[in-house]
Protein backbone atom coordinates (compact mmCIF):
# COMPACT_ATOMS: atom_id res chain seq x y z
CA UNK A 1 0.00 0.00 0.00
CA UNK A 2 1.24 3.48 -0.88
CA UNK A 3 0.27 6.63 1.01
CA UNK A 4 0.90 10.03 -0.57
CA UNK A 5 1.54 12.91 1.84
CA UNK A 6 1.08 16.22 0.02
CA UNK A 7 2.37 19.16 2.07
CA UNK A 8 4.85 21.94 1.32
CA UNK A 9 6.46 21.84 4.80
CA UNK A 10 9.18 19.15 5.09
CA UNK A 11 8.79 18.84 8.87
CA UNK A 12 5.04 18.32 8.54
CA UNK A 13 5.54 15.69 5.84
CA UNK A 14 7.95 13.89 8.14
CA UNK A 15 5.53 14.15 11.07
CA UNK A 16 2.60 12.72 9.09
CA UNK A 17 4.84 9.96 7.73
CA UNK A 18 5.79 9.07 11.29
CA UNK A 19 2.14 8.92 12.35
CA UNK A 20 1.25 6.75 9.34
CA UNK A 21 4.01 4.33 10.32
CA UNK A 22 2.67 4.23 13.88
CA UNK A 23 -0.62 3.02 12.43
CA UNK A 24 0.93 0.60 9.92
CA UNK A 25 4.68 0.05 10.22
CA UNK A 26 6.37 -0.59 6.89
CA UNK A 27 3.86 1.20 4.69
CA UNK A 28 5.32 2.98 1.69
CA UNK A 29 4.88 6.73 2.17
CA UNK A 30 5.63 9.13 -0.69
CA UNK A 31 6.19 12.81 0.10
CA UNK A 32 4.96 15.41 -2.39
CA UNK A 33 5.78 19.12 -1.82
CA UNK A 34 3.20 20.61 -4.20
CA UNK A 35 0.32 19.52 -6.34
CA UNK A 36 1.81 20.14 -9.78
CA UNK A 37 4.33 17.31 -9.33
CA UNK A 38 1.79 14.75 -8.12
CA UNK A 39 1.07 13.14 -11.49
CA UNK A 40 4.75 12.66 -12.35
CA UNK A 41 5.39 11.29 -8.85
CA UNK A 42 2.54 8.79 -9.22
CA UNK A 43 4.03 7.64 -12.54
CA UNK A 44 7.33 6.91 -10.77
CA UNK A 45 6.08 5.61 -7.43
CA UNK A 46 2.86 3.81 -8.33
CA UNK A 47 -0.83 4.33 -7.74
CA UNK A 48 -1.86 5.74 -4.36
CA UNK A 49 -4.18 3.99 -1.95
CA UNK A 50 -4.56 6.98 0.37
CA UNK A 51 -3.93 10.73 0.06
CA UNK A 52 -3.07 13.01 2.99
CA UNK A 53 -3.52 16.53 1.65
CA UNK A 54 -2.78 19.96 3.06
CA UNK A 55 -5.23 22.61 1.84
CA UNK A 56 -2.65 25.40 1.68
CA UNK A 57 -0.07 24.60 -0.96
CA UNK A 58 1.97 27.02 -3.11
CA UNK A 59 0.00 26.06 -6.22
CA UNK A 60 -3.54 25.73 -4.81
CA UNK A 61 -6.25 28.11 -3.69
CA UNK A 62 -9.03 27.20 -1.30
CA UNK A 63 -10.28 23.70 -2.09
CA UNK A 64 -8.72 23.59 -5.56
CA UNK A 65 -6.23 20.88 -4.56
CA UNK A 66 -9.00 18.68 -3.19
CA UNK A 67 -11.13 19.16 -6.30
CA UNK A 68 -8.17 18.37 -8.56
CA UNK A 69 -7.27 15.13 -6.81
CA UNK A 70 -10.87 13.87 -6.58
CA UNK A 71 -11.33 14.59 -10.31
CA UNK A 72 -8.31 12.46 -11.21
CA UNK A 73 -8.57 9.83 -8.45
CA UNK A 74 -12.26 9.73 -7.48
CA UNK A 75 -12.11 6.34 -5.74
CA UNK A 76 -8.96 6.88 -3.66
CA UNK A 77 -9.60 7.74 0.02
CA UNK A 78 -8.44 11.25 0.92
CA UNK A 79 -7.87 12.85 4.29
CA UNK A 80 -7.36 16.57 4.72
CA UNK A 81 -4.59 17.34 7.24
CA UNK A 82 -4.40 21.10 7.51
CA UNK A 83 -3.69 24.09 9.70
CA UNK A 84 -7.09 25.50 8.78
CA UNK A 85 -9.81 25.25 11.41
CA UNK A 86 -12.52 22.63 11.04
CA UNK A 87 -15.23 25.21 11.63
CA UNK A 88 -14.11 27.03 8.48
CA UNK A 89 -13.48 24.17 6.09
CA UNK A 90 -14.59 20.72 7.34
CA UNK A 91 -18.14 20.73 5.96
CA UNK A 92 -16.99 22.06 2.58
CA UNK A 93 -14.20 19.47 2.34
CA UNK A 94 -16.52 16.57 3.15
CA UNK A 95 -19.03 17.91 0.66
CA UNK A 96 -16.27 18.03 -1.98
CA UNK A 97 -15.44 14.36 -1.43
CA UNK A 98 -12.85 14.23 1.37
CA UNK A 99 -13.24 11.21 3.63
CA UNK A 100 -11.87 12.87 6.74
CA UNK A 101 -10.81 16.30 8.01
CA UNK A 102 -8.01 16.58 10.58
CA UNK A 103 -6.47 19.73 12.04
CA UNK A 104 -2.69 19.77 12.32
CA UNK A 105 -3.11 21.21 15.81
CA UNK A 106 -4.97 18.07 16.91
CA UNK A 107 -3.50 15.71 19.48
CA UNK A 108 -1.35 13.13 17.61
CA UNK A 109 -3.60 10.36 18.93
CA UNK A 110 -6.58 12.00 17.22
CA UNK A 111 -4.70 12.04 13.92
CA UNK A 112 -3.58 8.44 14.41
CA UNK A 113 -7.15 7.34 15.09
CA UNK A 114 -8.33 9.14 11.96
CA UNK A 115 -5.63 7.58 9.80
CA UNK A 116 -6.38 4.16 11.22
CA UNK A 117 -10.01 4.49 10.09
CA UNK A 118 -8.82 4.86 6.48
CA UNK A 119 -5.89 2.42 6.41
CA UNK A 120 -6.87 -1.24 5.82
CA UNK A 121 -5.98 -3.30 8.85
CA UNK A 122 -3.34 -5.98 8.59
CA UNK A 123 -3.53 -9.26 10.50
CA UNK A 124 -1.81 -7.82 13.57
CA UNK A 125 -4.20 -4.89 13.72
CA UNK A 126 -7.19 -7.22 13.29
CA UNK A 127 -6.06 -9.21 16.30
CA UNK A 128 -5.63 -6.07 18.38
CA UNK A 129 -9.04 -4.76 17.35
CA UNK A 130 -10.68 -8.05 18.25
CA UNK A 131 -9.38 -7.71 21.78
CA UNK A 132 -10.22 -4.02 22.07
CA UNK A 133 -12.97 -2.95 24.48
CA UNK A 134 -16.32 -1.69 23.27
CA UNK A 135 -16.03 2.04 22.48
CA UNK A 136 -17.57 4.12 25.23
CA UNK A 137 -17.07 7.65 23.94
CA UNK A 138 -18.89 9.06 20.95
CA UNK A 139 -18.77 12.52 19.46
CA UNK A 140 -21.76 14.81 19.82
CA UNK A 141 -22.61 14.24 16.16
CA UNK A 142 -22.41 10.45 16.54
CA UNK A 143 -24.79 10.60 19.50
CA UNK A 144 -27.20 12.64 17.40
CA UNK A 145 -27.04 10.09 14.60
CA UNK A 146 -27.86 7.21 16.92
CA UNK A 147 -30.88 9.04 18.33
CA UNK A 148 -32.07 9.88 14.82
CA UNK A 149 -31.60 6.26 13.76
CA UNK A 150 -33.89 5.27 16.62
CA UNK A 151 -36.46 7.75 15.28
CA UNK A 152 -36.35 6.02 11.89
CA UNK A 153 -35.21 9.14 10.03
CA UNK A 154 -33.84 8.85 6.49
CA UNK A 155 -30.53 10.37 5.38
CA UNK A 156 -32.48 13.20 3.75
CA UNK A 157 -34.44 13.86 6.96
CA UNK A 158 -31.23 13.87 9.00
CA UNK A 159 -29.54 16.22 6.52
CA UNK A 160 -32.45 18.67 6.81
CA UNK A 161 -32.49 18.56 10.60
CA UNK A 162 -28.73 19.11 10.88
CA UNK A 163 -28.55 21.59 7.95
CA UNK A 164 -25.90 19.54 6.15
CA UNK A 165 -25.81 17.67 2.85
CA UNK A 166 -26.83 14.04 2.41
CA UNK A 167 -23.23 13.28 1.37
CA UNK A 168 -21.98 14.63 4.71
CA UNK A 169 -24.57 12.50 6.52
CA UNK A 170 -23.22 9.44 4.70
CA UNK A 171 -19.67 10.35 5.73
CA UNK A 172 -20.74 10.72 9.36
CA UNK A 173 -22.46 7.33 9.23
CA UNK A 174 -19.38 5.75 7.67
CA UNK A 175 -17.25 7.07 10.52
CA UNK A 176 -19.82 5.92 13.10
CA UNK A 177 -19.94 2.41 11.62
CA UNK A 178 -16.14 2.20 11.71
CA UNK A 179 -16.20 3.38 15.32
CA UNK A 180 -18.71 0.71 16.33
CA UNK A 181 -17.36 -2.05 14.10
CA UNK A 182 -20.68 -2.49 12.25
CA UNK A 183 -21.72 -2.39 8.60
CA UNK A 184 -25.25 -0.99 8.52
CA UNK A 185 -27.78 1.29 10.18
CA UNK A 186 -29.62 -1.75 11.57
CA UNK A 187 -26.45 -3.13 13.14
CA UNK A 188 -25.56 0.28 14.59
CA UNK A 189 -29.02 0.62 16.13
CA UNK A 190 -28.85 -2.90 17.56
CA UNK A 191 -25.42 -2.13 19.00
CA UNK A 192 -26.74 1.05 20.60
CA UNK A 193 -29.73 -0.75 22.13
CA UNK A 194 -27.60 -3.64 23.38
CA UNK A 195 -25.20 -1.25 25.10
CA UNK A 196 -27.87 1.04 26.52
CA UNK A 197 -26.84 4.06 24.45
CA UNK A 198 -30.28 5.27 23.44
CA UNK A 199 -30.47 7.38 26.58
CA UNK A 200 -27.31 9.33 25.67
Amino acid sequence: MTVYVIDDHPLMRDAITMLVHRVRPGLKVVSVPKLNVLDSTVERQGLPELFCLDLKLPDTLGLSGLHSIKAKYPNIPLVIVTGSEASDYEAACLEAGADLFLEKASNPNVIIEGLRSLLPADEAVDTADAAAPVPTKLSKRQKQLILMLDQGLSNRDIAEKLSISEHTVKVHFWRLFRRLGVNSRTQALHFARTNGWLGI
Side-chain angles (χ1 to χ4, degrees):
M1 179 175 188
T2 303
V3 177
Y4 280 73
V5 177
I6 309 169
D7 196 301
D8 60 324
H9 294 288
L11 288 178
M12 184 53 61
R13 293 199 301 271
D14 289 346
I16 296 174
T17 297
M18 180 186 69
L19 294 178
V20 168
H21 284 153
R22 286 183 62 181
V23 175
R24 287 285 305 278
L27 278 183
K28 179 180 178 180
V29 180
V30 178
S31 295
V32 181
K34 51 187 178 179
L35 200 63
N36 64 12
V37 299
L38 178 61
D39 290 343
S40 60
T41 304
V42 169
E43 289 180 6
R44 294 194 310 272
Q45 299 289 345
L47 287 175
E49 294 176 79
L50 175 67
F51 287 111
C52 295
L53 173 69
D54 183 17
L55 286 181
K56 297 181 179 179
L57 297 171
D59 53 352
T60 65
L61 181 64
L63 304 187
S64 65
L66 171 56
H67 289 302
S68 175
I69 290 177
K70 294 308 291 185
K72 294 177 182 177
Y73 308 95
N75 299 317
I76 305 299
L78 185 150
V79 53
I80 297 295
V81 186
T82 182
S84 302
E85 293 188 5
S87 58
D88 295 330
Y89 286 98
E90 181 173 21
C93 287
L94 295 177
E95 178 70 23
D99 295 282
L100 190 61
F101 185 99
L102 296 171
E103 295 182 9
K104 289 179 179 178
S106 300
N107 184 294
N109 289 332
V110 172
I111 298 177
I112 287 172
E113 182 178 350
L115 292 172
R116 182 174 286 121
S117 72
L118 293 175
L119 292 171
D122 57 16
E123 185 174 341
V125 174
D126 284 339
T127 302
D129 285 349
V134 173
T136 56
K137 291 184 179 180
L138 298 178
S139 69
K140 180 180 178 181
R141 182 68 83 206
Q142 289 169 337
K143 293 176 182 179
Q144 288 177 316
L145 290 176
I146 287 178
L147 293 176
M148 291 179 178
L149 277 180
D150 191 43
Q151 295 169 16
L153 299 181
S154 67
N155 283 0
R156 177 175 294 182
D157 294 334
I158 293 173
E160 290 178 357
K161 280 184 172 290
L162 299 179
S163 299
I164 58 179
S165 71
E166 285 190 61
H167 173 77
T168 302
V169 171
K170 291 177 183 178
V171 171
H172 284 313
F173 270 124
W174 180 82
R175 294 170 70 177
L176 175 64
F177 294 167
R178 292 297 297 262
R179 176 71 172 152
L180 301 183
V182 301
N183 298 310
S184 69
R185 293 163 64 104
T186 301
Q187 291 178 3
L189 191 55
H190 175 73
F191 188 101
R193 287 173 175 159
T194 300
N195 289 279
W197 286 3
L198 291 179
I200 57 179

